[in-house]
């Protein structure tokens, strides 16, 4: 761990000072903004350093609380259009107390505009998933579920789809990078797209960083949504 004037725990104890960047997600057919993914920016640390420390202490629920409330707050303050994609750990969930605080903040402004994006850091967790589902059913938010980093070998199997029954699957950038030149990835993506189409799941290609990748995906695959530096970088 690098040496800084403030520790990770000290930094996260003042969550109101933590920045969030928002990266746009676009509809391929219309070019319109579909929504934004909220990305924690806990300077001077990286998000992965913060996650690793809280995972070590078995305190990921606290990160879930912080990101859910403060990312939502900043999203609404910026008056951003479309849907809000909130990252969520498979084994963590928001406390009832924090969820009530979020509801007071939101006042139904995110009804049908919230997407819970399941990250790949931990294994499936029945209790956490059922708790999240029950909380959002109670709040009548009509949230959707997205699976992050699909196609990396961590979230690739059918068990993940059957467990979460997602509305959206985000294809990992490892498959997207250089897709216009990589025949192995092209074939893998065809198989994934066919499977998702059968399930009625929306396909989002993330990590689109070049015009060539964008054009190839748009012209050859049933990709509904795209996200990446070519289309728009995260902005604080």
């Amino acid at each position: 761990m690098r040496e800084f004037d403030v520790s990770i725990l000290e930094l996260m104890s003042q969550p109101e000072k933590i920045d969030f960047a928002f990266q746009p997600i676009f509809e391929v057919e219309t070019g319109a903004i579909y929504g934004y993914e909220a990305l924690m920016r806990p300077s001077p640390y990286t998000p992965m350093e913060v996650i690793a420390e809280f995972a070590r202490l078995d305190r990921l629920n606290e990160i879930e609380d912080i990101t859910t409330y403060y990312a939502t707050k900043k999203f609404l303050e910026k008056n951003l259009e479309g849907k809000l994609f909130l990252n969520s750990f498979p084994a963590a969930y928001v406390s009832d107390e924090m969820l009530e605080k979020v509801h007071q903040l939101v006042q139904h402004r995110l009804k049908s505009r919230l997407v819970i994006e399941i990250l790949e850091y931990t294994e499936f967790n029945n209790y956490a998933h059922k708790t999240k589902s029950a909380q959002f059913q109670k709040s009548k938010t009509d949230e959707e579920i997205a699976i992050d980093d699909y196609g990396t070998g961590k979230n690739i199997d059918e068990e993940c789809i059957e467990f979460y029954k997602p509305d959206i699957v985000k294809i990992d950038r490892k498959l997207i990078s250089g897709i216009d030149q990589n025949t192995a990835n092209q074939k893998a993506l065809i198989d994934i797209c066919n499977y998702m189409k059968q399930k009625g799941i929306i396909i989002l290609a993330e990590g689109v960083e070049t015009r060539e990748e964008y054009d190839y995906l748009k012209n050859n695959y049933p990709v509904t949504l795209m996200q990446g530096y070519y289309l728009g970088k995260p902005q604080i």
Side-chain angles (χ1 to χ4, degrees):
M1 185 72 68
R2 291 165 291 163
E3 293 295 328
F4 291 112
D5 292 335
V6 60
S7 72
I8 287 177
L9 294 182
E10 289 171 329
L11 173 70
M12 298 305 288
S13 71
Q14 302 180 72
E16 67 280 357
K17 296 182 179 180
I18 296 170
D19 284 325
F20 283 85
F22 293 88
Q23 186 172 25
I25 296 167
F26 292 89
E27 295 179 353
V28 175
E29 185 175 350
T30 65
I33 290 178
Y34 182 82
Y36 291 85
E37 180 181 357
L39 300 164
M40 182 174 60
R41 293 291 183 258
S43 180
Y45 298 96
T46 67
M48 287 306 301
E49 286 174 323
V50 172
I51 291 168
E53 178 65 4
F54 275 76
R56 183 182 70 82
L57 298 170
D58 194 24
R59 292 169 59 176
L60 283 178
N61 279 13
E62 294 177 37
I63 300 293
E64 196 94 349
D65 275 3
I66 290 169
T67 55
T68 298
Y69 180 80
Y70 288 97
T72 299
K73 185 173 187 291
K74 291 182 184 293
F75 179 82
L76 292 174
E77 288 174 351
K78 293 175 182 293
N79 197 30
L80 295 174
E81 61 184 298
K83 301 192 178 191
L84 170 60
F85 283 64
L86 280 178
N87 291 325
S88 178
F89 301 109
Y93 53 91
V94 178
S95 66
D96 288 337
E97 293 78 13
M98 181 58 82
L99 200 63
E100 180 58 34
K101 188 176 177 181
V102 173
H103 291 162
Q104 292 299 321
L105 169 72
V106 171
Q107 294 293 321
H108 304 295
R109 286 180 287 173
L110 287 183
K111 183 175 176 60
S112 300
R113 296 179 62 201
L114 184 62
V115 180
I116 305 302
E117 185 171 328
I118 306 297
L119 301 172
E120 76 279 14
Y121 298 113
T122 54
E123 299 297 324
F124 304 151
N125 185 291
N126 267 307
Y127 181 77
H129 181 52
K130 288 180 179 178
T131 300
K132 289 175 190 175
S133 298
Q135 287 175 331
F136 284 109
Q137 285 174 9
K138 183 179 179 181
S139 68
K140 299 180 180 179
T141 310
D142 294 335
E143 88 289 351
E144 294 177 307
I145 297 293
I147 300 296
D148 190 32
D149 292 336
Y150 193 92
T152 62
K154 295 180 181 178
N155 281 338
I156 195 170
D157 57 15
E158 296 181 11
E159 181 185 0
C160 179
I161 300 300
E162 294 304 318
F163 185 85
Y164 288 109
K165 296 179 171 53
D167 304 281
I168 300 169
V169 161
K170 299 181 75 173
I171 306 300
D172 187 75
R173 67 184 64 201
K174 291 178 182 177
L175 274 179
I176 300 303
S177 180
I179 187 70
D180 53 302
Q181 301 289 331
N182 191 319
T183 55
N185 283 4
Q186 290 168 9
K187 184 181 184 306
L189 187 54
I190 288 173
D191 292 340
I192 290 173
C193 287
N194 288 338
Y195 178 63
M196 296 306 161
K197 193 173 181 180
Q198 291 173 5
K199 293 285 186 179
I201 297 171
I202 294 171
I203 302 167
L204 190 163
E206 61 178 341
V208 179
E209 298 192 353
T210 69
R211 177 60 183 265
E212 290 76 18
E213 292 167 358
Y214 172 82
D215 286 342
Y216 189 84
L217 289 164
K218 183 177 181 180
N219 295 328
N220 293 280
Y221 295 94
V223 174
T224 303
L225 306 171
M226 288 195 202
Q227 176 184 6
Y229 276 30
Y230 172 70
L231 299 165
K233 296 182 180 179
Q235 299 289 331
I236 294 179

